[in-house]
Amino acid sequence: MQTSFSLAALADPAMQASEKILRTCVHCGFCTATCPTYLELGDELDSPRGRIYLIKKMFESGEPATKEVVTHIDRCLSCLSCMTTCPSGVHYLHLVDHARAHIEKTYRRPWNERLMRGILAHVLPYPNRFRLALLASAIAKPFRPIVEKLPVVGKQMGAMLGLAPSSPPSRSAMDGPAVFAPKTARKGRVAMLSGCAQPVLAPGINEAAIRVLTRLGIEVVLPRGEGCCGALVHHMGQEETAHHQAEKLIDAWIAEIEGKGLDAIIITASGCGTTIKDYGFMFRNNSAYAEKAARVSALARDITEFLATLNLAPARETGLTVAYHSACSMQHGQKITDAPKTILRSLGFTVKDVPEGHICCGSAGTYNMLQPEISGRLRARKTRNIARLKPDVIATGNLGCITQIGLGMRERGEATPILHTIELVDWALSGEKPAALGGEKVG
């Protein structure tokens, strides 16, 4: 694609990177075949190719974002299916992230959008605030039909209540900062991302990961000073806040790397993993953090990616058929496709791929709350495909997908449980049976 950027614009390193990305696009349109919003809406501007044209025009003009640009960029899930499909290697992730940052700086959103985005940005990344919000949601949840009828913000507020649990889980006994010693001879030492929303909504995921790793001889540290990885606000265009959150996390991990050392940084939420593995790019122009961020990115591993390097021996027969949903951030963002399924099969599970597995479930971080109508259509599409498999359980590696698909299955009137892959691994390796499968609550 030919570009016509001014020399002044190209003096900005971010614009240089985006101009290089734009020039790799050859207009082929392969991306339209796998883009969820294009498949659902049929609008060229809601395809990656259409959005690339809009971004190109916006950047070349040097003008503030327009309502048209914002509408179509906001509808993008950042599922990155287009990057898997693209034969030219267009790095759409970096391009759309830059566009969102430009929108945040140059476009004033209507009050209701500022309100919703402000709530999400100031609540979700902070566990204690999020716990309080969930308590309030539990009280308000019975009034969801009334809330949904409120003018302007009703649909989004209703979507939030629909996704919130009826009864928030209690705080985990394994919350950090902490060090968990290996149960056998030590074979390695890792840090593990606690996360922000995940330990509040589903503390059992990190607990299962810690049990599995320590059982396999891995020391696990949850460092002091860590917090949100920045992914949630980063994909809302709030670049400065995202970098500040990431810097705190990088500092916490670098202290461990330069202290007792780390073999890996383990991540149990694939959405976080995609962002953390991109820290090297995010901080490439930051003299204080470029080298540290690159070191962190190089050590980052999804939990299944790390377990694939260890010897796993099943301790029990499970006999379950698993529908494996590969989160977009896993298959498209991190290019991890086989490891989770290979691990589950090696532990005795029968694993089935979900039809249209490359299409997003509609969760996409905060998307299911900011774009509830499109998200709802994608949720119904995903759960319809899962139901065709008639599985005993659904497994995936991302909390957002677990929440989204779980709601979708309930909307279908089906009781198929959905778990994080590591929870099934823990059970197969002599851990307690997950409560969702009829076991006693762990801990």
Side-chain angles (χ1 to χ4, degrees), residues 192-319:
M192 193 178 83
L193 174 68
S194 295
C196 46
Q198 181 169 286
V200 177
L201 280 174
I205 295 173
N206 284 348
E207 292 172 354
I210 292 168
R211 287 195 297 269
V212 168
L213 290 168
T214 54
R215 198 181 294 132
L216 295 171
I218 306 298
E219 181 178 89
V220 181
V221 57
L222 306 180
R224 185 176 300 278
E226 70 164 28
C228 179
C229 69
L232 287 170
V233 292
H234 179 64
H235 294 304
M236 285 196 284
Q238 298 181 21
E239 196 172 48
E240 185 176 338
T241 302
H243 282 217
H244 176 68
Q245 291 174 349
E247 286 169 2
K248 289 183 62 179
L249 198 50
I250 290 168
D251 287 339
W253 284 334
I254 288 293
E256 293 295 334
I257 293 169
E258 295 181 346
K260 295 184 179 180
L262 294 175
D263 297 298
I265 295 169
I266 303 300
I267 301 146
T268 56
S270 62
C272 301
T274 299
T275 296
I276 292 167
K277 288 183 177 182
D278 204 41
Y279 277 177
F281 178 85
M282 287 170 59
F283 288 92
R284 69 198 182 282
N285 298 313
N286 184 320
S287 58
Y289 278 88
E291 189 267 341
K292 292 190 288 186
R295 291 174 70 186
V296 164
S297 290
L299 281 175
R301 299 288 185 276
D302 181 76
I303 181 67
T304 56
E305 191 179 14
F306 185 75
L307 291 181
T309 67
L310 304 176
N311 293 320
L312 306 181
R316 60 163 54 93
E317 290 290 332
T318 64

Side-chain angles (χ1 to χ4, degrees), residues 102-142:
H102 183 78
I103 289 169
E104 187 70 12
K105 292 173 184 175
T106 65
Y107 181 78
R108 183 166 177 80
R109 294 178 178 275
W111 71 268
N112 55 303
E113 293 183 17
R114 298 199 305 273
L115 173 65
M116 298 305 299
R117 287 170 173 266
I119 291 172
L120 294 172
H122 288 91
V123 173
L124 289 183
Y126 305 95
N128 288 334
R129 298 180 196 175
F130 190 31
R131 286 189 180 92
L132 288 174
L134 288 182
L135 288 173
S137 296
I139 297 170
K141 201 173 179 71

Side-chain angles (χ1 to χ4, degrees), residues 381-402:
R381 183 173 186 150
K382 179 64 66 176
T383 51
R384 184 167 60 247
N385 279 319
I386 291 173
R388 288 167 55 190
L389 301 177
K390 301 186 184 304
D392 298 311
V393 62
I394 306 160
T396 188
N398 192 55
L399 174 68
C401 301
I402 291 172

Side-chain angles (χ1 to χ4, degrees), residues 29 31-55 67-79 81-82 92 96 100 367 371 374 377-378:
C31 57
T32 62
T34 59
C35 174
T37 50
Y38 181 73
L39 294 177
E40 285 293 327
L41 304 176
D43 187 336
E44 172 73 13
L45 294 180
D46 286 315
S47 74
R49 182 171 62 181
R51 293 184 180 109
I52 286 172
Y53 277 116
L54 291 173
I55 293 169
K67 182 179 180 181
E68 179 188 43
V69 172
V70 173
T71 295
H72 295 291
I73 296 300
D74 280 356
R75 287 178 185 164
C76 174
L77 296 125
S78 285
C79 70
S81 183
C82 56
Y92 180 80
V96 78
R100 287 186 169 127
Y367 190 93
Q371 299 284 337
I374 301 172
R377 289 166 65 168
L378 290 170

Side-chain angles (χ1 to χ4, degrees), residues 167-212:
S167 177
S170 56
R171 190 184 295 264
S172 172
M174 291 184 172
D175 272 357
V179 177
F180 298 90
K183 304 299 183 184
T184 61
R186 177 174 150 168
K187 298 176 183 175
R189 185 176 192 267
V190 303
M192 193 178 83
L193 174 68
S194 295
C196 46
Q198 181 169 286
V200 177
L201 280 174
I205 295 173
N206 284 348
E207 292 172 354
I210 292 168
R211 287 195 297 269
V212 168

